[in-house]
């Protein structure tokens, strides 16, 4: 959930560490800190505090210098956000400094034993057991690397850990269930939870696997795998650049990423729909790849779950067997799977803990696995049998926007491939029209972004009690996503419903202070109109998202118009209007749009 940065090289590295922490702010945090040391010099100097990286920068100014250091942005799990609970954490004498992401499950028993042995704890965190364990092994005469390895052997749970030690110029690191990546620069090395942390300094990376241990010195690095064997990992070049990860001229990352959707969709579609024939060309999966798959189970969380539900509806429209599960629930008791089941993990980061656990348990049960993700070197991409990359580019805003549209489009292409593999290569009914619409989708969304009148809707309903979003078929999944986006960044109450379910309970909550936002384009939109009419008779204001305002002229109080497109893709276009609605409503309320309270971009603990 939080962020790790480390820098190893010559010269002063403090500004690079602080920049790395700033770049990681999107992951969500409530405190930040640094530990910096001179090469082979005295013990690490630690500065940390509750609050923003900018406040840490002021605290560190002139107080810490050194070429080797570690940094951390903390999102509280064990203990509230305080200066003492901020990372890095040290041993009793301050010789060892550690930063950690994840949760150490057995920290209670370790802490109890260490306290009995005389160790003094200054925080409420699970992390603090790590430097004290290292301290014990150093006292037994072990060198720093051995002490680190022996400490890791004592831990159970999920973690990414980086450590520096007095009298040693190395950074020691490992991961188990929490992401960690090495950046290889010309004159220095970097460690981070995510590539954007160091993208200003290098685009060459090494992705660590679970169980890997890394020792990084100014003149090189050594990586050993879970078996203890020295490995020579591939150094990959990431395609992202610092400008892509920046905010540019926009007030918020979220708004920038909403407006990037035409570009991200063009990247997602490129080479996958032949422009001259509107033919499917999903080269990742040669014809017949999925011919033995009897059923599909999608597992995902949050926005990715809504994209997965969208894919399930596309499957249902083609009479294909598919289900969507919240990954956290799936992992507790997986349904029946066998070698003919394909479990598809939809995860923007490829590091979502619940989704990874669900995929692993499905794979252990004999299922095939596929990752639909944005990050090429992610854990999901490496662990699954296959991967489908959505190519959306870096998404920094906590509230997912462009990745949802890219996920849905890539999943639509996947569903068409699955249908053909199950029907001897025959395309599904209407596939040519749909593929043509996918090809044109970036231009369609661009026109929405240029012409949207959504600010007037946000202003009209800024002082109401609740917001209800409704739709049918794929429009229902977009209603769920629209409500999630709204509540995430406005902090106002919003719910998404299947339009037909409004009269089965939720209608009791409808009042003149409950605007109903209806996705009226798509399959069965006439029935959605009936549901809106029922709400209107109870006094509810009606906002219709539609390509045909005439259909709702006598019903809707306000209309958010979208261009005509394929009926199954209308939800993707409508969702852009809902993203803009959420954004402008949050801006009018002066919410911290890119960093909504209590939320993190990558949820890497269960």
């Amino acid at each position: 959930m939080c962020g790790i940065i480390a820098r190893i090289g010559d010269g002063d590295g403090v500004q690079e560490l602080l920049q790395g922490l700033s770049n990681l702010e999107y992951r969500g945090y409530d405190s930040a800190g640094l530990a910096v040391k001179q090469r082979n010099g005295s013990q690490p100097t630690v500065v940390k505090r509750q609050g923003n990286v900018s406040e840490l920068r002021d605290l560190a100014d002139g107080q810490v210098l050194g070429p080797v250091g570690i940094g951390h942005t903390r999102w509280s799990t064990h203990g509230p956000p305080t200066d003492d609970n901020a990372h890095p954490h040290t041993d009793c004498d301050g010789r060892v400094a550690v930063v950690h992401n994840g949760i150490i499950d057995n920290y209670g028993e370790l802490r109890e034993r260490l306290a009995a042995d005389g160790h003094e704890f200054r925080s409420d965190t699970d992390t603090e057991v790590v430097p004290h364990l290292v301290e014990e092994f150093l006292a037994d005469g072990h060198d720093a690397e051995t002490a680190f390895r022996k400490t890791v052997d004592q831990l159970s749970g999920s973690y990414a850990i980086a450590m520096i030690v007095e009298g040693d110029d190395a950074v020691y690191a490992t991961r188990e269930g929490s992401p960690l990546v090495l950046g290889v620069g010309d004159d220095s090395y970097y460690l981070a939870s995510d590539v954007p942390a160091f993208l200003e300094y290098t685009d060459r990376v090494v992705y660590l696997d679970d169980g890997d241990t890394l020792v990084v010195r100014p003149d090189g690095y050594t990586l050993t795998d879970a078996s203890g064997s020295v490995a020579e990992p591939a150094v990959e070049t990431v395609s992202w650049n610092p400008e892509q990860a920046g905010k540019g001229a926009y007030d918020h990352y979220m708004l920038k990423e909403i407006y990037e959707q035409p570009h991200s969709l063009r990247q997602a579609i490129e080479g996958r729909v032949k422009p001259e024939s509107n033919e499917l060309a999903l080269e990742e999966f040669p014809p017949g790849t999925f011919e033995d798959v009897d059923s599909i189970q999608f597992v995902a969380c949050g926005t990715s779950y809504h994209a997965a539900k969208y894919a399930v509806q596309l499957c249902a429209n083609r009479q294909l067997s598919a289900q969507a599960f919240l990954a956290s629930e799936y992992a507790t008791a997986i349904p029946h799977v066998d070698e003919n089941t394909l479990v598809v993990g939809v995860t923007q980061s490829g590091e979502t803990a619940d989704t990874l656990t669900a995929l692993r348990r499905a794979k252990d049960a004999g299922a095939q696995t596929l990752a639909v993700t944005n990050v090429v070197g992610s854990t999901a991409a490496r662990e699954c049998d296959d991967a489908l990359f959505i190519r959306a580019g870096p998404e920094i805003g906590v509230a997912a926007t462009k990745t949802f549209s890219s996920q849905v489009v890539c999943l639509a292409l996947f569903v068409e491939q699955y249908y053909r593999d199950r029907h001897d290569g025959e395309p599904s009914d209407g596939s040519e029209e749909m593929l043509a619409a996918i090809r044109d989708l970036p231009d369609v969304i661009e026109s929405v972004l240029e012409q949207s009148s959504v600010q007037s809707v946000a202003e009209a309903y800024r002082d109401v009690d609740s917001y209800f979003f409704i739709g049918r078929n794929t429009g229902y999944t977009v209603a769920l996503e629209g409500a999630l986006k709204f509540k995430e960044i406005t902090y106002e109450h919003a719910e998404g419903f299947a339009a037909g379910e409004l009269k089965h309970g939720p209608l009791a909550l409808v009042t003149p202070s409950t605007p109903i936002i209806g996705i009226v384009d798509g399959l069965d939109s006439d029935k959605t109109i009936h549901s809106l009419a029922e709400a209107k008779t109870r006094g509810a204001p009606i906002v219709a998202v539609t390509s045909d305002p005439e259909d709702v002229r006598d019903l809707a109080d306000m209309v958010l118009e979208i261009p005509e497109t394929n009926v199954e893709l209308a939800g993707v276009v409508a969702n852009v209007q809902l993203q803009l609605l959420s954004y402008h409503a949050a801006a009018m309320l002066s919410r911290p749009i890119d960093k909504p309270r209590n939320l993190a971009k990558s949820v890497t603990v269960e």
Side-chain angles (χ1 to χ4, degrees), residues 13 19-20 98 118 134 163 222-223 230 274 289 307 313 361 366 392 430 441 446 472 481 489 504 514 532 581:
Q19 184 60 49
V98 167
V134 173
M163 177 187 82
T222 303
L223 187 146
V230 175
K274 295 179 181 178
T289 299
Q313 191 60 62
R361 293 187 179 171
L441 198 55
E446 200 151 44
R472 285 179 178 266
E481 174 60 14
I489 64 168
H504 293 287
T514 315
L532 291 172
L581 176 62

Side-chain angles (χ1 to χ4, degrees), residues 543-593:
V543 179
V545 187
T546 181
S547 64
D548 191 352
E550 276 301 305
D551 274 357
V552 295
R553 182 169 58 86
D554 298 327
L555 173 67
D557 297 284
M558 304 190 80
V559 173
L560 292 173
E561 193 169 352
I562 62 174
E564 282 194 37
T565 186
N566 177 271
V567 67
E568 290 187 306
L569 296 174
V572 181
V573 186
N575 188 60
V576 176
Q577 289 281 29
L578 301 186
Q579 291 171 349
L580 289 168
L581 176 62
S582 297
Y583 174 82
H584 288 295
M588 288 175 184
L589 294 166
S590 300
R591 306 300 193 213
I593 290 171

Side-chain angles (χ1 to χ4, degrees), residues 88-99:
H89 290 290
T90 61
D91 64 325
C92 293
D93 298 324
R95 296 180 58 208
V96 180
V98 167
V99 291

Side-chain angles (χ1 to χ4, degrees), residues 97-435:
V98 167
V99 291
H100 158 240
N101 287 349
I103 294 176
I104 297 171
D105 292 336
N106 62 335
Y107 88 98
E109 59 193 74
L110 291 171
R111 181 174 178 134
E112 186 177 345
R113 177 176 66 77
L114 287 163
D117 289 341
H119 290 267
E120 181 182 349
F121 286 83
R122 305 179 184 90
S123 79
D124 304 313
T125 69
D126 54 335
T127 302
E128 198 179 354
V129 300
V130 177
H132 288 288
L133 285 169
V134 173
E135 180 184 12
E136 284 207 335
F137 288 118
L138 290 172
D140 289 341
H142 297 292
D143 60 31
E145 181 176 351
T146 304
F148 182 70
R149 292 179 182 277
K150 285 183 172 291
T151 293
V152 172
D153 287 344
Q154 302 262 319
L155 307 178
S156 64
S158 65
Y159 48 78
I161 299 172
M163 177 187 82
I164 56 176
V165 180
E166 177 184 1
D168 193 316
D169 62 2
V171 170
Y172 301 90
T174 190
R175 66 158 284 177
E176 184 67 44
S178 193
L180 202 58
V181 59
L182 172 70
V184 181
D186 293 333
D187 302 310
S188 53
Y189 297 93
Y190 305 88
L191 271 168
S193 304
D194 208 352
V195 171
F198 53 69
L199 207 49
E200 290 99 326
Y201 311 116
T202 183
D203 60 0
R204 292 177 292 153
V205 301
V206 174
Y207 293 100
L208 274 67
D209 290 318
D210 282 352
D212 285 350
T213 299
L214 188 66
V215 181
V216 190
R217 301 184 185 279
D219 58 355
Y221 61 91
T222 303
L223 187 146
T224 54
D225 61 23
S227 70
S229 302
V230 175
E232 295 186 8
V235 179
E236 302 180 32
T237 301
V238 297
S239 58
W240 301 348
N241 59 55
E243 287 73 26
Q244 284 179 286
K247 194 160 50 178
Y250 293 90
D251 291 335
H252 298 93
Y253 282 110
M254 182 182 179
L255 187 61
K256 172 178 179 277
E257 288 156 4
I258 289 172
Y259 275 83
E260 284 178 341
Q261 284 176 105
H263 175 68
S264 61
L265 282 170
R266 288 186 183 102
Q267 291 183 148
I269 297 163
E270 185 178 4
R272 292 169 169 169
V273 179
K274 295 179 181 178
E276 66 279 2
S277 62
N278 294 328
E279 184 50 60
L280 182 68
L282 207 56
E283 294 181 356
E284 295 91 335
F285 309 116
T289 299
F290 305 115
E291 61 185 359
D292 294 327
V293 173
D294 293 332
S295 64
I296 298 176
Q297 296 173 1
F298 293 91
V299 293
C301 304
T303 289
S304 294
Y305 174 68
H306 298 153
K309 284 182 70 67
Y310 204 118
V312 167
Q313 191 60 62
L314 295 177
C315 287
N317 295 347
R318 290 156 179 76
Q319 298 186 328
L320 297 169
S321 177
Q323 297 170 279
F325 298 88
L326 289 165
S328 55
E329 293 298 307
Y330 184 96
T332 61
I334 69 170
H336 172 75
V337 301
D338 56 31
E339 66 275 9
N340 298 120
T341 307
L342 178 65
V343 178
V344 181
V346 187
T347 161
Q348 185 280 135
S349 66
E351 304 292 348
T352 308
D354 290 314
T355 305
L356 290 174
T357 298
L359 287 166
R360 287 164 181 159
R361 293 187 179 171
K363 194 167 188 175
D364 289 344
Q368 304 173 51
T369 55
L370 168 67
V372 178
T373 184
N374 196 31
V375 183
V376 173
S378 62
T379 301
R382 286 179 284 126
E383 291 189 0
C384 285
D385 298 316
D386 288 296
L388 177 60
F389 297 107
I390 67 171
R391 305 173 183 168
E395 185 178 70
I396 306 302
V398 169
T401 53
K402 64 179 181 176
T403 53
F404 176 80
S405 56
S406 293
Q407 284 173 336
V408 170
V409 165
C410 290
L411 286 167
L413 296 175
F414 160 74
V415 169
E416 178 61 25
Q417 177 74 59
Y418 176 48
Y419 180 92
R420 295 183 183 195
D421 286 350
R422 293 289 294 171
H423 293 82
D424 299 321
E426 289 297 315
S428 65
D429 291 343
S431 71
E432 185 175 351
E433 176 194 344
M434 184 176 188
L435 291 169

